[in-house]
Amino acid sequence: MSVRSLFDLTGRSALITGGSKGIGKTLARAFAECGANVCITARNEDELKSATEEIAQGLGSRVIYRVCDMADRAAVDAMAIDVLQEFQGIDILINNAGTNRPELLAETNDTTWDEVLELNFTACMRLARHVVPDMKEKQWGRIIHLSSVMALASNPGRGLYSGTKAALIGMAKAHALELGPHGITVNCICPGPIATDLPMSLLNEEQKQRFAERTALKRWGKTIDMVGPALLLGSDAGAYITGTTILADGGLTCRTFD
């Protein structure tokens, strides 16, 4: 097998949540460029339509979208069943959708807790549960959860976000052991500071600069920086990598203290 063929995803199908913008959209284009048929999901149909057209431009791969609120269990189940039927199976699942609602412990309310837990963690499990039977039948599958560097270190007010992202890492390890005998790998990617809409809207300019300065590379990451880890874990190139977490944080966690 040639090195090039290790990354060839021709004939594979991928489901990428949160795919209308940011990391999800960039990954969708990358997987489509490698030959996979791709379905992206998000809540905003206008954004999905635009992203689908942009991702598919100039490629032979099939790119479709499905509107889905990942915090709605019935919607998640219906979407998964629909895409499985449309593609006759899903080979690669990338759980990228997520949200961050900073609240101090004393201010955390049950509604926020339930919504973030549902979106960031429970929906990931539900989608994995849907795609695994087909993966087992094929004896090939790739499940990738987008966790976060905030799963390994945190800040005040980020207990809910960090908790859900850390939970993905623990779940991936257990599922890797369970599914490994069936040719299915399960891994996490922990992005560091990536310049997407979510952190850019939450942080002020001083905070943004502080994040950049704490990385070894002295900059915020770009969405394209996540393509290498994702393609490695989502293809035959990563066939012997499972139950692990790839840190793509620009060296943020190298530092001990100043």
Side-chain angles (χ1 to χ4, degrees):
M1 181 178 288
S2 68
V3 172
R4 185 185 297 272
S5 68
L6 289 173
F7 294 93
D8 184 4
L9 297 173
T10 302
R12 301 293 187 190
S13 57
L15 172 61
I16 303 175
T17 67
S20 64
K21 55 188 175 182
I23 293 173
K25 180 180 175 182
T26 299
L27 295 186
R29 173 71 188 191
F31 276 75
E33 285 184 1
C34 288
N37 294 318
V38 176
C39 177
I40 59 173
T41 75
R43 290 178 294 181
N44 187 304
E45 185 164 13
D46 289 338
E47 289 182 354
L48 279 169
K49 285 182 178 178
S50 176
T52 299
E53 292 174 1
E54 185 177 339
I55 292 165
Q57 188 173 10
L59 301 179
S61 298
R62 187 179 177 204
V63 182
I64 63 174
Y65 72 85
R66 292 293 185 269
V67 178
C68 184
D69 180 355
M70 301 304 294
D72 182 334
R73 291 189 180 187
V76 169
D77 291 342
M79 179 273 291
I81 293 169
D82 180 29
V83 179
L84 280 164
Q85 292 176 342
E86 184 73 22
F87 281 160
Q88 295 299 298
I90 294 170
D91 303 297
I92 303 156
L93 170 63
I94 302 180
N95 278 314
N96 169 69
T99 190
N100 185 3
R101 301 184 194 175
E103 289 182 344
L104 295 173
L105 176 59
E107 301 167 354
T108 301
N109 65 76
D110 290 346
T111 299
T112 300
W113 179 273
D114 290 343
E115 289 177 354
V116 175
L117 184 62
E118 191 72 34
L119 174 58
N120 286 9
F121 184 61
T122 304
C124 299
M125 178 280 295
R126 297 182 75 85
L127 282 180
R129 188 170 64 187
H130 276 290
V131 304
V132 158
D134 178 71
M135 291 179 176
K136 284 184 175 180
E137 185 175 335
K138 295 176 179 175
Q139 290 291 291
W140 197 99
R142 301 288 184 265
I143 298 173
I144 304 170
H145 303 303
L146 267 291
S147 180
S148 169
V149 70
M150 297 288 280
L152 308 175
S154 196
N155 282 317
R158 303 300 175 87
L160 177 52
Y161 183 75
S162 289
T164 57
K165 292 302 184 179
L168 287 174
I169 295 175
M171 183 171 70
K173 291 179 183 296
H175 290 168
L177 292 169
E178 176 185 337
L179 302 174
H182 303 282
I184 303 167
T185 66
V186 188
N187 293 287
C188 289
I189 298 172
C190 282
I194 307 298
T196 60
D197 291 347
L198 184 58
M200 294 297 102
S201 66
L202 289 173
L203 303 177
N204 59 40
E205 290 305 314
E206 181 182 350
Q207 291 171 319
K208 293 174 188 176
Q209 184 60 32
R210 190 160 65 244
F211 266 106
E213 287 299 320
R214 288 194 63 81
T215 69
L217 299 177
K218 304 301 181 185
R219 68 171 176 87
W220 278 73
K222 304 172 185 177
T223 58
I224 195 68
D225 294 323
M226 299 300 106
V227 167
L231 284 178
L232 171 64
L233 297 178
S235 66
D236 282 328
Y240 204 58
I241 303 173
T242 194
T244 195
T245 298
I246 293 181
L247 268 171
D249 68 346
L252 182 72
T253 51
C254 288
R255 191 182 302 277
T256 54
F257 53 83
D258 294 318

